[in-house]
C-alpha cells in the first residue's frame, strides 16, 4: 500500500528506531533525524509522513517524533533486503 517515497521514509525510520539490541522494541524517531538521514528538508517529507499516519502505519506520539503503530515492524523492515 505504501508509495516508494513512503517506503523510503519507513526504511529510514526503521534504521533509526533500532533500540538497544538486548531490547526488542523500536523507539520513537525524531522527524528531523529522518530528514537528515535521507538528506532532505523535513518539510519535503511531510506528505509521506502524513500519508503514513492516515494509512495507520505510523503515529506521532509527541511533536517532532514518529513511531510504528505495529510492534516490531521496524525490526521486520530492517530484516528485508533492499
Amino acid at each position: 500500500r505504501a508509495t516508494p517515497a513512503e517506503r523510503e521514509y519507513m526504511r529510514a525510520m526503521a534504521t533509526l528506531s533500532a533500540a538497544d539490541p538486548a531490547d526488542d522494541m523500536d523507539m520513537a524517531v525524531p522527524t528531523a533525524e529522518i530528514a537528515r538521514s535521507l538528506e532532505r528538508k523535513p518539510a519535503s517529507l511531510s506528505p509521506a509522513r502524513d500519508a503514513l499516519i492516515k494509512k495507520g502505519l505510523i503515529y506521532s506520539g509527541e511533536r517532532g517524533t514518529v513511531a510504528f503503530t505495529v510492534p516490531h515492524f521496524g525490526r521486520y523492515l530492517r530484516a528485508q533486503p533492499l
Side-chain angles (χ1 to χ4, degrees), residues 24-49:
D24 236 2
M25 298 301 291
D26 291 315
M27 300 176 358
V29 180
T31 54
E33 287 295 319
I34 296 169
R36 196 175 356 262
S37 76
L38 295 174
E39 298 178 351
R40 308 247 318 260
K41 294 183 185 222
S44 72
L45 297 173
S46 291
R49 182 185 64 86

Side-chain angles (χ1 to χ4, degrees), residues 50-62:
D50 292 342
L52 289 168
I53 290 171
K54 286 178 184 168
K55 290 177 180 179
L57 295 170
I58 67 173
Y59 70 98
S60 179
E62 292 181 22

Side-chain angles (χ1 to χ4, degrees), residues 11-19 27-30 32-35 37 78:
R11 176 75 65 176
M13 246 182 95
T15 301
L16 295 168
S17 70
M27 300 176 358
V29 180
E33 287 295 319
I34 296 169
S37 76
R78 288 188 297 275

